[in-house]
Amino acid sequence: MEDERIFSDICGGRLALQRRYYSSFCREFCVSCPRLSLRSLTSVTCTVWLVAYGLFTLCENSTILSAAIFITVLGLLGYLHFVKIDQETLLIIDSLGIQMTSSYASGKENTTFIEMDKVKDIVINEAIYMQKVIYYLCILLKDPREPQKISQVVPVFQSAKPRLDCLIEVYKSCQEVLAHQKATTTRS
Amino acid sequence: MVLKAFFPTCCTSADSGLLVGRWVPEQNSAVVLAVVHFPFIPIQVKELLAQVQQASQVGLAVVGTWCHRQQESEESLGHFLEGLGTIFSHNPWLQLCRERGSKFWSCKATHHQGPGIAGVSREDHVILIFYDQRKVLLSYLHPPTILPDGQARDATASSEGLAAIFDTVSRSEVLFCKDQFDEGPVRLSHWQSEGVEASIFMELAKQASGPVCLLVTCLLSLVSAASACRLWKLWPLPFIASKLSTCEQLHHRLEHLTLVFSTQKAQSPAQLMRKANMLVSMLLDVALGLTLLSWLHSNNRIGQLADALIPMADHVAEELQHLLQWLMGAPAGLKMNRALDQVLGRFFLYHIHLWISYIHLMSPFIERILWHVGLSACLGLTVALSILSDILALLTFHIYCFYVYGARLYCLKICGLSSLWRLFRGKKWNVLRQRVDSCSYDLDQLFIGTLLFTILVFLLPTTALYYLVFTLLRLLVVTVQGLIHLLVDLINSLPLYSLGLRLCRPYRLADKPSALQ
C-alpha cells in the first residue's frame, strides 16, 4: 500500500512524504526535498563569473577566467555529491531493525542501520535551532547491557527538516510497529 | 517474533534440494549456509553435517527444502520435498519455493506441535533476507571465537544480535571447502561451489613467507646481538646515542622489523592489521628513500650541496656577529651596563670565531661525508630525515652553547636576586620546613646583602636581554627540528594498510550489517 502527501519544511519549502506499508511489521517512509532550482544555480554562476571578469579587467590575466569556470564546475559537482540531499528514507522492520538512507543529488546513497535490540523508543523532541524552536523525530538507543539508560539519540530526517504534522504521521506508524514488536517479544 | 530466514544470494539460482544451516532460537532466525542437491542419501548427508559440526563447533542441521522449478505443474517434486520433512525433522521446517525466471518467491515455515497432534501445524510470517556470503566471510572484525583462556567454545554465549549471524557464517568455513568439481557423496551449492576462490600470488606468498620469516629473524637476531655487546656501553657512547635521533629511529625500525617478520602467526585480526600497517609503511618509507637517493645522486647535487654548505654556515656566523655588535651597542634604545656588556659580547664573539675556524677545518671532508650519509637514505626516508635533523643540531651547536651560557647566567642571577630580596625584607628560606621564615640578620650581613642586591638589580636588564635573544634563536632551531621529527613520526605511524582497505574493500572492515535493500 502506497500513498503520497504534501507537507512543508521548517522554512516553508515543499516536501513530499511517501508512505509504503509492506505489511503490519514492515513500513517505509520517504521524504523528498525540493530539487536544485535553476534560479539559484544561475544567480550563483553569474555572481562568480562577474567577480572573475572584474578581476580580469584589473589584472589582464586570462587564467582567472578559466580558473573561474573550473571552480564553478567543480563547486557544482562537489555540492551535488556531498551537500544536496534529494531524498531521505526511513525503513522500519519489526524484530530486525531500522534503516535510514540519504540519497544525494549525484546518486550517492548513505545508509545507516540500527539493530532492533539497540532501539529503546522513537520520540518527537524539541530543539532550539538558530532563532527557531523546531520539532524533530529521533530514535533513542539503549545499551543492551544497561536497558534502563539511554546511550545515544539519533535524529532522523536531518536535512529535510519536516514540520510537526509530517512528523506526527511518521511517529504514529512507527509506534504501531514498535508496539507490535513489544507485544510479540513478551509473548514469545 | 517474526521468523527470519537468511538466504545467500549465490544460491538463488541453484537447483532444488535441501537447505542446510543453523537455527538461532534467540533471534528466531534460520541462517542458510548451503543447498544440498539431488541425488543424495540421507545417511551421508547426516554424516557430512556431523563432520562439519565437529570441525567447526557450529550446530548445523537440515532446516528446510528449496524448490526451484520450471513451471507450476511439477507437483510430484512438491510432494517429494514434503516427504523429506519427515526424514530430517527440524522445528520449524522452512519451505522456500521459486519459479524459474520469475521474481515471485514463496516462503512457508511450519511448526510441529508435537507427537499426537498429527497434521496440526502453526504457520508464521517469514521475512526472507538475502546476504552476500563472500563479503560476510571475508570481513575481518568478527567477535573473536577463541576465548583467551581456552575454555569450551560455546557457540551462542559471546555473540549478540545480528553479530551471531556473521559469526555462524564465518565459523562454517570448513563447509565451503568443497566445490562442485570434487567427487564426494554429497553435492553442495554455496559461494565457492563454482570453484574455491584463491589468488596465486597470495598462495605463493603464504608458502614463501615461512622460510623468509625464519631467515630475516635470524639476521635480525644477529644484528641485535651485535648492538647489545659490551663495546657500546662504554661512556660516552650511550650518552651520544641517546641524543642522536638517528639511533632512535634505527632502533625503532629494528623493533618493527622484528615484529613483522616474527615466526608467530597473528593472534587476532587487530594484530594482523598492525603487522600489515607496519609492513606497508616500511615499504613506502624505503620507496621514498630510494627516490630521494636517486634524486640526490643525479646532476652532482651532492657537490652543489657541499659547496653551498660552507658559505651558509659563514653567513649564519656573520649574522650572529652583527647581532652581538648590536647588543653591545644600545639595542632597541635600552641602555646596557657597559662593562658587563663588553665582557659577554667579547666572550660570545670569541666563541663564534672558534666555530668558524672549526667549520673551515672540516670543509675538505664535507663532500665525502655528505655522499656517504646520502647512501643511508636507502634504509628509508625516515632515517634520512633523522640524519638531516642531527646535522642541523650539529651545525647549530654554537647557538645551543650560547643559550646554555645565557640561561645559566640568568638562572644564577634570579636565584641570587630572590634570596637577597628575602634578606632585604628580613626573611629567610627554611630548607627543613620548605617555607619562608623571618630571621634577624646582623648589621654587616644586611649591609653587604643590600649592596649585592642593588648591583644584581641594575645588572638585570643586560643579562635578561642576552637570555631572551639566545632563547629565541634556540627556539627557532628547535621548531625546525620538531617539524622534521613530526614528519618522521607521521611516516612511522600512519596506518596506510587500513586506509587502503577502507577505500578499496570496505566490507573487510565490517563488524555488523550495514545496509538492507
Side-chain angles (χ1 to χ4, degrees), chain B residues 309-327 348-349 351-357 359-360 395 398-399 402 470 473:
Chain B
L309 206 65
I310 304 291
M312 200 160 52
D314 272 343
H315 179 73
V316 167
E318 243 182 71
E319 290 296 319
L320 269 178
Q321 275 176 335
H322 285 186
L323 181 72
L324 281 168
Q325 299 285 3
W326 179 69
L327 280 176
F348 290 137
L349 277 173
H351 251 276
I352 294 179
H353 173 76
L354 276 178
W355 186 253
I356 300 235
S357 335
I359 295 271
H360 280 279
L395 282 181
H398 49 328
I399 296 183
F402 290 172
F470 291 131
L473 276 175

Side-chain angles (χ1 to χ4, degrees), chain B residues 55-107:
Chain B
S56 66
Q57 311 284 340
V58 175
L60 287 186
V62 176
V63 295
T65 58
W66 160 243
C67 182
H68 191 196
R69 53 191 184 190
Q70 300 286 58
Q71 60 258 11
E72 279 283 347
S73 59
E74 286 187 22
E75 290 297 332
S76 55
L77 189 61
H79 286 306
F80 175 58
L81 289 173
E82 275 177 32
L84 285 173
T86 48
I87 307 178
F88 300 101
S89 57
H90 188 264
N91 204 12
W93 184 250
L94 269 182
Q95 284 166 301
L96 299 175
C97 189
R98 185 186 169 198
E99 302 280 320
R100 208 173 274 273
S102 90
K103 286 194 198 163
F104 180 68
W105 289 59
S106 89
C107 321

